[in-house]
Amino acid sequence: MTRSIRPLVAGNWKMNGLKADLAIAAEVAKGYDAEFAGAVDLAICPPASLLYPTSVALIGSRIATGGQDCSTQASGAFTGEISAAMLADAGGTFAIVGHSERRTLHGESNATVKAKAEAAQKARIVPIVCVGETKDEREAGKALAMVKKQLRGSLPEGSTAATLVVAYEPVWAIGTGLTPTAADVAEMHEAIRTELARLLGKAAAAGVRLLYGGSVKPSNAAELMNVANVDGALVGGASLKAGDFLAIARACA
Ligand code: PEP
C-alpha cells in the first residue's frame, strides 16, 4: 500500500451476470457502506448490458461503476462498440482498457489501448489501463521490459493521478489461481511507478493508483495488498461473490 493513496478495488465481472445478479451489487453495497466506505474505493464493472441497472442499484452507495472496454471512437458507424460517453451516460466513471483478454482475443495493440484510454479521458471516464507479461515473457526474464513497453505505448500523455489508474495483471495469473510472489509484485510495481514518473512526471506518478490483478482471493489479498506500491486490486472471479469481494476490500482497508 501507499499510505497517501486511497486504495481502489475494482471488480471485473467479465461476460457474466444477468439481471438477477444485481443482487450481488446490492449485497456488496450493504457491506461496504456499513463497514469501510471511508477507507477504500470500490467499483463494479459489469457487462455492458448491466451497467445502467447496476449504477441505478448503487444509487445512495459510494460504490462506482464502470465498463470493461470502450471504443476509440466517439460515435457513428461502429456496430457493437460502446463509446466512453455512453458509459458515462449509464452512470459509469471507470473503463477497463487493455485487459489481456482484449489484447489477446481481439488483437488490441498498445496504440489501440492508448486511443481507448484517451477516448475515456475525453468523456471524463477514468481508464484502468491493464498491463502484464505472459508466462513465456516472465520465464525469459523479460517481464519488466515487456510491461514498461506496454506502459510507454498505452498511456495517454498528460495523464494525472485523477485521470488514470494502472492495473498490473500478469497474464498467467488471470483466472488460473496462480499469483506472483510478493517480492515479484513489489519489484514490478516499483518499476511501474518509476516508469510513470518518466512518462508523466513525478507528481502524477506519485498519486496514480497501481492495482494488482490476477487470482486475487480473500486468502491471498492481505499479503498482496500489503506490498509496497500496490494501491488496490482488479478482481475477476472473486468479484462475483459479494462476500469474497468484500473480504478483498477489507484487506485494503
Ligand atoms: C481479471 O480478469 O482482471 C482478473 C484479475 O481475473 P481473476 O481475478 O479471475 O484472475
Side-chain angles (χ1 to χ4, degrees), residues 6-11 32 40-46 51 55 62-70 82-97 116-117 120-121 123-129 161-166 209 211 233-234:
R6 186 179 162 90
L8 168 67
V9 177
Y32 172 75
V40 52
D41 288 338
L42 233 58
I44 294 177
C45 301
L51 181 56
S55 301
R62 287 182 51 195
I63 300 178
T65 60
Q68 299 173 9
D69 184 33
C70 73
I82 295 189
S83 73
M86 289 170 183
L87 298 181
D89 190 50
T93 51
F94 290 100
I96 298 168
V97 295
K116 290 184 171 197
Q121 289 177 341
R124 296 192 183 283
I125 291 275
V126 176
I128 301 175
V129 179
T163 63
L164 175 71
V165 174
V166 173
R209 292 189 278 197
L211 312 186
L234 181 54

Side-chain angles (χ1 to χ4, degrees), residues 10-14 96 99-101 130 167-171 173-178 212-217 233-239 248:
N12 172 14
W13 284 14
K14 311 196 190 199
I96 298 168
H99 189 282
S100 76
E101 287 152 19
C130 301
Y168 167 57
E169 298 207 305
V171 178
I174 295 176
T176 60
L178 303 172
Y212 167 79
S215 296
V216 179
K217 299 179 281 230
L234 181 54
V235 185
S239 70
I248 292 166

Side-chain angles (χ1 to χ4, degrees), residues 111-235:
T112 302
V113 174
K114 180 178 178 179
K116 290 184 171 197
E118 285 170 346
Q121 289 177 341
K122 222 178 242 179
R124 296 192 183 283
I125 291 275
V126 176
I128 301 175
V129 179
C130 301
V131 293
E133 82 284 358
T134 63
K135 187 166 177 279
D136 285 352
E137 288 160 355
R138 175 147 294 268
E139 285 173 357
K142 294 182 179 158
L144 292 174
M146 288 311 300
V147 166
K148 282 187 205 169
K149 189 173 169 199
Q150 286 178 323
L151 291 169
R152 283 196 296 275
S154 308
L155 300 185
E157 288 93 19
S159 295
T160 67
T163 63
L164 175 71
V165 174
V166 173
Y168 167 57
E169 298 207 305
V171 178
W172 52 273
I174 295 176
T176 60
L178 303 172
T179 52
T181 64
D184 285 343
V185 175
E187 182 186 41
M188 182 62 80
H189 277 238
E190 189 184 354
I192 292 173
R193 186 85 66 201
T194 304
E195 190 64 18
L196 290 185
R198 226 177 51 73
L199 295 170
L200 306 174
K202 271 192 184 158
V208 169
R209 292 189 278 197
L210 307 186
L211 312 186
Y212 167 79
S215 296
V216 179
K217 299 179 281 230
S219 57
N220 61 21
E223 187 187 9
L224 290 164
M225 295 303 111
N226 272 323
V227 171
N229 288 305
V230 173
D231 310 312
L234 181 54
V235 185

